Amino acid sequence: MRHSIEEITDQLKKNPDNGFRLLVNSFMEPVYNHIRRLVVNHADAQDITQETFVKAYKGIDGIREIKSLPAWLMRIATNEALRFLQRQKEQHVALDDPDNTEAYQLAADEYFDYSDAEAVKLQNAIHTLPPKQQAVFNLRYFDDISYEEIASILDTTPQNVKVNYHHAKNKVVELLSSMD
């Protein structure tokens, strides 16, 4: 059940534990979906989602503007996912290595429809992008988040987000064209 930001923030002030429960219930799915698109694997996405909410719980008192709660939460999620991807890269699990077929296999579960060949191609193309471009592309294309909000999430400028999205979109289109 999705609760309004006002309802969540009101509860965070009155009863922090109950308010945090509302926050988790309202944002678990979009946070998980965002992370999943970045890291691919269901189990990894679940772990990172849990870590995102643990960090959010620890830092909820430090949030400056309550209205930016969703962007703040997505910033934590994005940073956690990017940290995970960096650790994977450092451990020599190359997500962009075409010989690493495991990296491209989306976990077989209810979250991904393998019968949609175009969706599989799109996900494979997106995962060839650098992690930050993946984040920008996913936030803009799938979540329809404004450039300004993405800039807030990624701690950059809207212009930088626009440039990254433009480059990412062009790379994805080019890759999809070459797959046909």
Side-chain angles (χ1 to χ4, degrees):
M1 176 180 204
R2 186 95 186 215
H3 299 277
S4 72
I5 298 298
E6 293 78 22
E7 186 179 0
I8 294 169
T9 55
D10 186 49
Q11 279 299 309
L12 283 169
K13 291 174 188 170
K14 292 178 183 174
N15 182 341
D17 288 340
N18 190 43
F20 191 74
R21 244 181 255 103
L22 293 178
L23 179 72
V24 170
N25 290 339
S26 295
F27 289 98
M28 178 69 77
E29 187 175 342
V31 166
Y32 169 82
N33 289 337
H34 171 62
I35 291 169
R36 176 73 188 269
R37 286 189 294 268
L38 290 170
V39 302
V40 179
N41 183 280
H42 173 64
D44 292 336
Q46 283 183 313
D47 291 345
I48 297 166
T49 299
Q50 183 177 6
E51 185 62 29
T52 295
F53 283 102
V54 167
K55 288 199 175 195
Y57 184 78
K58 290 178 180 177
I60 199 78
D61 292 334
I63 188 167
R64 290 184 297 269
E65 292 184 49
I66 295 298
K67 68 178 182 175
S68 65
L69 192 61
W72 174 75
L73 194 56
M74 290 304 269
R75 174 185 267 185
I76 295 170
T78 301
N79 287 339
E80 288 303 306
L82 293 176
R83 260 193 284 286
F84 172 83
L85 291 172
Q86 184 61 38
R87 282 192 307 270
Q88 291 291 94
K89 185 176 180 182
E90 289 168 0
Q91 294 172 2
H92 306 291
V93 176
L95 293 176
D96 57 355
D97 181 359
D99 296 329
N100 184 3
T101 56
E102 183 179 314
Y104 282 65
Q105 287 179 335
L106 302 173
D109 59 29
E110 70 274 13
Y111 294 100
F112 197 80
D113 180 8
Y114 280 100
S115 66
D116 187 348
E118 293 301 313
V120 172
K121 285 181 185 178
L122 177 61
Q123 286 304 314
N124 286 339
I126 292 168
H127 282 279
T128 65
L129 299 171
K132 284 197 177 185
Q133 280 187 2
Q134 283 183 45
V136 168
F137 186 86
N138 287 332
L139 288 166
R140 182 74 181 151
Y141 183 81
F142 291 109
D143 298 322
D144 197 29
I145 295 177
S146 72
Y147 293 118
E148 291 75 20
E149 286 180 280
I150 296 170
S152 173
I153 290 167
L154 297 176
D155 196 25
T156 188
T157 65
Q159 185 60 33
N160 193 10
V161 170
K162 288 177 186 176
V163 168
N164 273 294
Y165 181 71
H166 177 76
H167 287 302
K169 183 176 71 171
N170 287 344
K171 286 179 189 176
V172 167
V173 167
E174 183 180 311
L175 282 166
L176 289 174
S177 298
S178 71
M179 290 181 191
D180 291 335

